[in-house]
Structures are given as structure tokens and as C-alpha cells.
Amino acid sequence: MIPASFEYKRARSVKAAIELLADGNAKVLSGGHSLVPALKLRLNQPEMLVDIARIASLKGIKVSGKELVIGSTTTHQEIASSDIVKEHLSILAEGAGAIGDVQVRNKGTLGGSLAHADPSADWPALVLVSNAKVVLEGSGGERTLNAADFFTGFFSTALASDEIITEIRFPIPAKGTKSTYQKFVQPASRFALVGCAAMREPSGETRVAFSGVADAAFRDTGIENAISGKTLTAENINHAVSDTAKGQDIMSDHYASEEYRVHLAKVFAKRALMALA
Amino acid sequence: MGVKINVTVNGKAYSHDVEPRTLLVHYLRDTLLLTGTHVGCDTSSCGACTIHVDGIAAKSCTMLAVQADDCEITTIEGMAKGSDMHPLQEGFKECHGLQCGFCTPGMIMSSADLLSKNPNPTEDEIRHALEGNFCRCTGYHNIVRAVQYAAEKMAVEV
Ligand SMILES: Cc1cc2nc3c(=O)[nH]c(=O)nc-3n(C[C@H](O)[C@H](O)[C@H](O)COP(=O)(O)OP(=O)(O)OC[C@H]3O[C@@H](n4cnc5c(N)ncnc54)[C@H](O)[C@@H]3O)c2cc1C
Ligand code: FES
Ligand code: FES
């Protein structure tokens, strides 16, 4: 399968990329592991691709103050194998290591995954559970959004057409915070049929986020409110997950019915909370 | 229309004008005539098109040739040293790691990526490392043995 024709420009800086994007029907290219398949299927036919993969300032992992800052073009593999990530926010390494397969992790990037906002992708649940901030830059300047405000629905985000994600800022959790990412893999695509990310701070505050279940990744505030501050006993956990994904627009497709997805979500929420106990 | 790319493939430098929409696998097969890299699914799933770009395994059906500009590429044709097979090639032969052979170039390139990072993998690590490569013939057991054979041989050679 061959994509339709397009022009290709490699941007050398964020500023240059934004200028190229202002110019009509152009699309950002990062790792290409969602965009190239879409171009091949001609689901997407932009006039120009602006390749940002080699802009040095967009790549890398560092600690800045109380935050772990990851550049948008950092690959899943770089995150999964990073000692800094493992030390400060190991759930990100765990989740990134569960994406697709080795070759996909070698090319795909954090920023690309967030911009694509596939409801079955792993990153959205991970940035939601860790209360991350997404930093965007466009012709109007820079803005920083809470992960929860960045995702706006099925494959949609708050990104404007001339904006790029530059970095993701993750608050470093308090010492003693526990976390886990539990994924039920759709065996053909390797995306999450259900992905449950959970974090519990020493104070007992607990956050739970899902991918794969609804039309967009979401924080399950029902579970969070029911279990935060309570001991993680089997009884409390069972009670907390009884209304998993309540009020969400649950997906249904030929891989999993709505009923089966909700069932799996409950099972995986339970496993996640047990793992934090 | 064309964009100029410079690539080094199996140690040899090339320079070509390519259409931006040219997939890397087609550039390798149709322009450089390196047909050892196969197209299986053409949908990023099977791994038959796996090559190394700057030393890491990538699916060449899911990359544009322009994305490989200034990169060092290794394909299956670059694995043997003259008439000496790479230990992985030898392992696949000795352990019956192939039947039709269609998946084999990709399997070997993914296995080489694994062994470069982890020279002494467990069986479980080998199976995980090959999650992106499908084989419709062998049932995988002999592929795992082939990788173990190569790991042992390479450990002795070092
Ligand atoms: C076989 C296969 C299996 C996969 N399995 C999984 C899986 O299990 N879990 C999972 O989560 N994902 C999976 N993926 C998707 C993979 O993680 C992609 O790499 C990721 O979704 C997109 O990142 P990218 O860098 O490749 O983005 P690209 O494909 O380059 O871009 C994707 C979209 O985001 C836009 N974009 C990219 N970067 C930016 C930026 N910095 N700012 C603004 N817009 C941007 C592009 O314009 C495009 O619209 C899989 C992909 C494949 C091919
Ligand atoms: S041909 Fe590239 S992954 Fe199947
Ligand atoms: S040997 Fe036939 S597909 Fe693997």
C-alpha cells in the first residue's frame, strides 16, 4: 500500500516546525507508527509532513525541580529502559514497555501517542493517573494543559493544527508511592483491550485510570473516592470496583462487547488495587 | 518532487532522489535491489520487513525512506561475513528454525537486536523480543532454539 503524494520537510527547530504547520494542510510526523499506517490506508492525506523527530530540544528525559520532564519525541523504548524513569516514576517504564512490540517501541514516541489519542493506547491512562501536564507550543505561544483537559474524546485532543506537543511534565510522587499498570493485550494488535493504571500515595490517596474501555481514556473517580484512604482489603477493593467505568461511553467492537469490556475493567481494577496492597 | 537522501546500507553509501511517500522497504527492495527484506503483512504487524536503522530494529514497511536519511541501515544481506554465515543464520539452519523461510530475515534482524542488548537471554526474554515477528510455519520452538544456539556461539567467539 502506497500513501498518496505529499511534500516532506524536516524541521530543525520547534519554531521552524510551527511556521511550516501554519501553512495549510500539513501534519506533524514523529515516530510515524500511527501516521504512516494511516497514510498507507489513505485514511489521512495531508499535503505536507513536517518531520520533528530530529529536533534535539524535543528529545530526552530529565528531572527538573519536583518534576520528571520527558520530551515529546522520546521513544517508548527510551522511556521503558530509562534508569531515571525507573527511579522516579516506574509506572511509566512499565507501561511503555507494554506497548506493541520491540520494533514499535523503537520508533513510536510519547508525544505521537498522546496527539493520536487512540482510546486503546497505553500512554493516555499513564499520563492521567500520574497527573501529568502536557506542554504545547504554537504560533500563539506556549500553553500547559492538565492531561485531563488535553484529551477531549474519541481520537481527539485540545491540540490546534499549528501546535505541537513539546514536552510532558510528570510530578514526581512522594516517596513510598506505589503504582502498577495492568494490561489485557488484544492479541492481534497488542493494543490494550483494557489497561488499568493505578497509583497510591503514602497518604492513601489513590488514582485509577483506564485505557481501552471507553471512547477516551479516563480517571475512574468512582473507584478513587471509594478506596482513597481506606485499607486495601479484599472487601474494600471488591466494593470499590463494583461500579467500575460508571457513566462512561463504553466501546464495543468485534474484539469485545460492551459487557465483556466492563467485566474486564473490573477484573483489572481489582488486580491493580491488589498489587498496590 | 524528489527529496535527496544519503544512506549507508550494509556498509555501502548510497544517494538517491526519492518521492517522500516511498516506503523504506520499497526503496531497499526496488531501488537497491536488496530483496532479502520481505513484505509480509504490509500493515506493521508481521515483522518480515525488520531491518536495523542506526543499530535498532525497525519495521521498514512503516518507515518512509526519507526518515532514514543520514542513517546506517543493516539488512539481512549485511549479516554474513563473505561466505561465513552470521551465528544467527547458522543457528536457524542447524536448529531447523525455518521452513518456508519467509519470516526468517525479519526473525534474524529482531534476534540480532536482542542479542546486541542482551547477549545471554532467557527463553522467556527471547519469546518476548520476537513478539513483533510472526512465523506461520515453525511453531516458534525451533526459532527460540536457533537464537539460543547463536547466543552460545557468540559467547564463545568473544
Ligand atoms: C503494530 C503496532 C502496534 C502498536 N501497539 C500499541 C500498543 O500496544 N499501545 C499503544 O499505546 N500504542 C501502540 N501502537 C501505536 C504506537 O505507540 C505509535 O507509535 C503511537 O501511537 C504514535 O506515536 P508516533 O511517534 O509513531 O506518532 P506519529 O505516527 O508520527 O503521529 C501520530 C499522530 O500524532 C501527531 N503528532 C505526532 N507527534 C506530535 C507532536 N509532538 N505534537 C503534535 N502532534 C504530533 C501526528 O501528526 C499524527 O497525527 C502500535 C502501533 C503499531 C504499528
Ligand atoms: S511487512 Fe512490515 S510488519 Fe509485516
Ligand atoms: S518459516 Fe515460514 S513463516 Fe516462518
Side-chain angles (χ1 to χ4, degrees):
Chain A
M1 296 170 300
I2 317 279
S5 295
F6 49 80
E7 228 187 303
Y8 171 87
K9 299 267 193 231
R10 187 179 302 143
R12 300 283 169 195
S13 66
V14 172
K15 190 165 162 275
I18 291 166
E19 276 166 17
L20 287 165
L21 286 173
D23 207 35
N25 184 16
K27 245 186 154 353
V28 171
L29 174 67
S30 182
H33 270 54
S34 293
L35 186 53
V36 172
L39 294 172
K40 288 169 72 176
L41 293 169
R42 303 202 177 193
L43 294 171
N44 220 313
Q45 301 195 15
E47 280 161 21
M48 186 198 287
L49 292 192
V50 178
D51 190 346
I52 61 167
R54 295 194 200 176
I55 301 176
S57 64
L58 293 180
K59 210 178 206 17
I61 301 169
K62 62 170 192 255
V63 171
S64 166
K66 290 181 173 161
E67 291 176 319
L68 177 71
V69 182
I70 306 185
S72 64
T73 64
T74 311
T75 64
H76 308 320
Q77 177 58 32
E78 285 160 348
I79 298 168
S81 60
S82 157
D83 290 334
I84 303 179
V85 174
K86 285 181 202 164
E87 182 187 338
H88 295 288
L89 207 47
S90 61
I91 190 172
L92 303 184
E94 187 187 351
I99 293 174
D101 52 51
V102 174
Q103 296 97 312
V104 170
R105 295 195 289 275
N106 281 344
K107 297 307 293 179
T109 68
L110 167 57
S113 179
L114 297 182
H116 194 56
D118 188 317
S120 302
D122 298 293
W123 275 119
L126 298 166
V127 296
L128 284 171
V129 83
S130 51
N131 264 336
K133 289 185 162 42
V134 185
V135 184
L136 313 176
E137 204 172 319
S139 52
E142 188 180 282
R143 57 188 183 126
T144 302
L145 297 182
N146 289 324
D149 301 322
F150 176 76
F151 300 109
T152 54
F154 187 64
F155 286 101
S156 40
T157 70
L159 258 178
S161 62
D162 70 339
E163 275 182 323
I164 64 172
I165 302 173
T166 53
E167 62 188 26
I168 326 303
R169 309 185 74 96
F170 299 88
I172 294 175
K175 278 259 169 318
T177 298
K178 289 186 171 180
S179 64
T180 182
Y181 185 60
Q182 303 278 331
K183 176 175 179 180
F184 186 87
V185 173
Q186 202 281 83
S189 76
R190 312 204 65 81
F191 274 88
L193 205 53
V194 165
C196 179
M199 282 179 82
R200 185 168 167 96
E201 303 201 8
S203 66
E205 187 196 317
T206 307
R207 293 187 296 275
V208 177
F210 284 104
S211 274
V213 178
D215 61 338
F218 65 96
R219 285 263 302 270
D220 195 318
T221 47
I223 299 181
E224 292 180 355
N225 293 337
I227 202 72
S228 281
K230 300 243 170 64
T231 356
L232 293 171
T233 58
E235 198 189 339
N236 286 343
I237 291 173
N238 276 329
H239 174 254
V241 304
S242 58
D243 275 336
T244 298
K246 194 174 180 181
Q248 294 295 325
D249 190 357
I250 309 294
M251 286 198 287
S252 175
D253 52 31
H254 54 281
Y255 302 122
S257 65
E258 198 175 317
E259 194 187 356
Y260 181 50
R261 269 201 165 80
V262 173
H263 170 75
L264 276 180
K266 239 178 238 185
V267 171
F268 277 71
K270 208 156 137 178
R271 282 189 194 170
L273 293 174
M274 297 283 226
L276 300 183
Chain B
M1 261 310 263
V3 172
K4 189 179 176 104
I5 60 167
N6 297 301
V7 289
T8 304
V9 182
N10 303 328
K12 210 170 146 194
Y14 297 91
S15 182
H16 284 102
D17 275 333
V18 297
E19 256 196 272
R21 61 175 170 163
T22 308
L23 299 173
L24 181 55
V25 70
H26 292 146
Y27 172 72
L28 295 171
R29 290 178 55 87
D30 303 343
T31 305
L32 303 188
L33 303 177
L34 294 170
T35 53
T37 303
H38 292 164
V39 180
C41 63
D42 203 10
T43 53
S44 323
S45 305
C46 76
C49 62
T50 303
I51 57 165
H52 293 183
V53 180
D54 287 340
I56 59 166
K59 292 176 179 175
S60 60
C61 76
T62 314
M63 272 186 78
L64 303 169
V66 286
Q67 288 177 283
D69 182 26
D70 285 334
C71 291
E72 294 236 4
I73 292 173
T74 309
T75 68
I76 188 68
E77 288 91 343
M79 295 301 276
K81 292 221 168 64
S83 56
D84 289 340
M85 280 189 283
H86 185 278
L88 276 163
Q89 292 172 306
E90 195 183 306
F92 274 71
K93 178 165 170 265
E94 291 302 321
C95 302
H96 228 65
L98 67 153
Q99 289 178 21
C100 79
F102 195 86
C103 69
T104 316
M107 286 287 179
I108 288 181
M109 299 316 286
S110 290
S111 304
D113 182 71
L114 167 69
L115 294 182
S116 72
K117 293 181 205 137
N118 179 358
N120 189 19
T122 62
E123 174 177 344
D124 202 45
E125 286 168 339
I126 295 171
R127 290 185 187 275
H128 274 297
L130 296 177
E131 276 165 353
N133 293 75
F134 298 167
C135 175
R136 299 289 79 151
C137 302
T138 63
Y140 300 100
H141 295 315
N142 288 347
I143 291 179
V144 173
R145 285 185 195 117
V147 179
Q148 287 167 331
Y149 174 104
E152 278 166 32
K153 174 138 196 208
M154 287 159 81
V156 173
E157 280 175 1
V158 173

